[in-house]
Amino acid sequence: MTPVRPWTLSRLLPALGGWCALAAQLLPVGLPLRAVVVGAFLLAGPGAAAADWARPVPRPTRGPDRLSAAGLVVALSVAFAVLTAEALFFTGSFGAARAVLVLAVLTTVLTLLPQHLPRRPLHRPHLHLHLHLGRGRDRRPDGRPPVRWRLLTVATVLALSAACGATGSIGSTGSGGSSGNGTGVGSVLDPSAPSSPSPVAPVAAGASGTPLPVGADQPPSTGPWHSVFRDDFNGSGLDHGSWATCYDWNDGGCTNAGNQEDQWYLPGQVSVADGKLTLTAERKATTGSDGKTYPWTSGMVSTGRDQWDGTPRKTFTYGYFAAAIKTTGQAAGMFPAFWLLPAGTRGGLPELDIAEFINTDQYADLNLHAEAPDGTNIDAHYSHGPVDFSSGYHVFGIDWEPDAVTWYVDGAQVFQVTDPSVIPNVPMEVILDLAVGYHQSPPADVDRTQVNVDWVGVWQH
């Protein structure tokens, strides 16, 4: 009977590390302990389990051997992690917690696979020469275990497959010659991220003359849809029947005091001309109706009210919301956003951020903010980029359904939340704004910037 290696703590450590990494997903995002636990497992866990299962015995004892074994463990772990991420990515089910779960299960399976010890040869003098020659393949002349070439071959194949897959994924998404990469995390939810673009029909060029991506001006193919709101900004001024120029709590102007922003919004900072809406931020000291002086004045539009007790112009419950936006190239200190806010709470949760550009023109933040029954905040977040969103118009859309919220950039799905318990089910207003001074103030040499919007549309089933 072939002997089996006994169970030891060292054999179980990779699998235990995987489940600890999965449990660490429950910790707050950004906590160093979470990063350390997950990072250590991703760099060592799967590879250690694979190498331990396939390696010869005894263990390497010399320094060079141990260093080589460690390098092989890291290479295998990285290859497993990349291949897992790619598999989830191309099936439209990628999520950080889901990837860790798959790798934890894989590591556990490798750990639990039986490891048979080699049989001890029978001592037969007349077979001494034959056995000696046979065992020459099992040990090198210096007495150390041989390299497991089949394991190195598997590691090489995994690494090459991961590299080829990564190259293909980088080239398949995005626009304007930039990749459609990004990072996503959900502290409570299990968000899904990028799937491949789904072209629908060609569209006309934007206000800048740059052709918009194929299918970007249409809802996703989950219809039928019908248009319930549209503004192409083709007039000589803002349509005040559709848009207010402040939040619901405005009184001769407004700001978002909860974010401690630097601007006071005024109607004069909003203009419509040449087929586009322009929001302009200027370094100009402005005293608000709240008695405070703000160093900047800026512009925003909303489908909400003119005053606290007024009636919202337009609200929507579910649908596909999209806009073609060219963000500011003066990114530092600026916070343009395209988002949805409940009409009933006047500034409270829930909130759907279709696209936010917080001190950057290279990444678009896509967020769902909600409140759990116990009062704790629920956040799902994905950062899409890098793409130069200031070089031309890009279409940002969100498909808000009762059972899922899905974000699109230039017609391609990039993020999804599928937990119905946290998806908003209340009427919401559409907001486009150019905030200033969130997290940081603009540089001293920046006195003015603009955000342009080519069109805004809403479709419903």
Side-chain angles (χ1 to χ4, degrees):
M1 182 176 180
T2 304
V4 178
R5 285 183 61 196
W7 293 104
T8 61
L9 180 59
S10 61
R11 282 189 62 191
L12 295 175
L13 278 178
L16 293 175
W19 297 108
C20 288
L22 185 63
Q25 297 295 307
L26 300 176
L27 297 175
V29 178
L31 190 69
L33 178 61
R34 170 175 170 160
V36 169
V37 172
V38 175
F41 168 67
L42 294 179
L43 286 176
D52 188 61
W53 172 70
R55 70 171 176 80
V57 290
R59 293 176 179 272
T61 56
R62 301 189 181 186
D65 286 332
R66 290 187 173 182
L67 184 61
S68 299
L72 183 60
V73 164
V74 173
L76 282 169
S77 295
V78 171
F80 278 126
V82 173
L83 287 174
T84 298
E86 288 170 0
L88 294 175
F89 176 91
F90 287 117
T91 57
S93 57
F94 179 82
R98 190 169 296 168
V100 173
L101 173 61
V102 171
L103 290 169
V105 171
L106 174 64
T107 303
T108 302
V109 170
L110 289 172
T111 300
L112 296 179
L113 286 174
Q115 299 181 18
H116 297 286
L117 296 172
R119 292 177 178 272
R120 293 182 178 276
L122 297 175
H123 182 68
R124 295 181 180 178
H126 64 283
L127 293 177
H128 177 75
L129 178 61
H130 172 75
L131 291 175
H132 175 75
L133 293 175
R135 291 202 311 272
R137 296 183 304 165
D138 295 332
R139 302 189 70 82
R140 302 202 306 228
D142 58 5
R144 287 183 287 165
V147 175
R148 280 294 176 96
W149 295 109
R150 65 176 183 175
L151 182 58
L152 288 177
T153 302
V154 171
T156 302
V157 171
L158 286 172
L160 289 176
S161 299
C164 292
T167 302
S169 65
I170 290 175
S172 65
T173 312
S175 61
S178 299
S179 65
N181 300 327
T183 56
V185 67
S187 58
V188 175
L189 311 180
D190 183 17
S192 304
S195 65
S196 58
S198 176
V200 181
V203 297
S208 64
T210 303
L212 295 173
V214 172
D217 194 28
Q218 301 292 326
S221 54
T222 56
W225 297 95
H226 66 278
S227 176
V228 295
F229 177 71
R230 178 84 181 195
D231 196 337
D232 291 290
F233 305 110
N234 290 328
S236 58
L238 185 69
D239 178 7
H240 291 281
S242 296
W243 302 103
T245 52
C246 280
Y247 292 113
D248 289 343
W249 53 84
N250 72 84
D251 182 10
C254 61
T255 190
N256 189 344
N259 284 344
Q260 299 179 339
E261 295 167 355
D262 289 346
Q263 85 292 327
W264 183 257
Y265 291 117
L266 287 175
Q269 304 304 116
V270 179
S271 62
V272 171
D274 302 323
K276 63 185 177 184
L277 167 73
T278 301
L279 307 177
T280 302
E282 294 182 280
R283 189 188 293 274
K284 182 168 57 177
T286 305
T287 301
S289 58
D290 58 0
K292 299 179 181 178
T293 300
Y294 295 82
W296 284 75
T297 182
S298 188
M300 66 165 288
V301 293
S302 164
T303 63
R305 306 168 175 85
D306 281 324
Q307 60 273 335
W308 181 266
D309 57 355
T311 301
R313 285 165 169 78
K314 298 181 186 297
T315 61
F316 310 92
T317 306
Y318 307 126
Y320 182 70
F321 304 76
I325 300 172
K326 179 182 178 183
T327 192
T328 173
Q330 302 284 349
M334 302 298 167
F335 182 15
F338 173 34
W339 51 306
L340 306 179
L341 197 63
T345 60
R346 293 175 174 84
L349 297 177
E351 175 185 324
L352 292 173
D353 298 322
I354 305 172
E356 292 183 327
F357 305 92
I358 306 175
N359 302 306
T360 180
D361 56 7
Q362 299 295 309
Y363 289 88
D365 281 350
L366 324 175
N367 305 297
L368 182 153
H369 301 297
E371 185 174 304
D374 62 359
T376 58
N377 287 342
I378 296 174
D379 301 287
H381 163 76
Y382 181 74
S383 182
H384 180 76
V387 177
D388 186 358
F389 292 116
S390 67
S391 63
Y393 286 89
H394 292 266
V395 179
F396 303 91
I398 190 171
D399 184 5
W400 169 28
E401 305 290 346
D403 57 353
V405 179
T406 309
W407 284 257
Y408 294 83
V409 176
D410 292 332
Q413 178 183 330
V414 296
F415 183 49
Q416 186 177 65
V417 172
T418 56
D419 184 350
S421 67
V422 300
I423 293 176
N425 59 358
V426 296
M428 302 185 84
E429 304 166 353
V430 178
I431 301 173
L432 289 143
D433 63 27
L434 174 51
V436 184
Y438 180 63
H439 286 176
Q440 69 180 77
S441 294
D445 59 347
V446 174
D447 296 319
R448 190 175 188 273
T449 193
Q450 294 180 326
V451 168
N452 296 322
V453 183
D454 188 17
W455 55 262
V456 179
V458 181
W459 293 261
Q460 290 181 328
H461 293 299

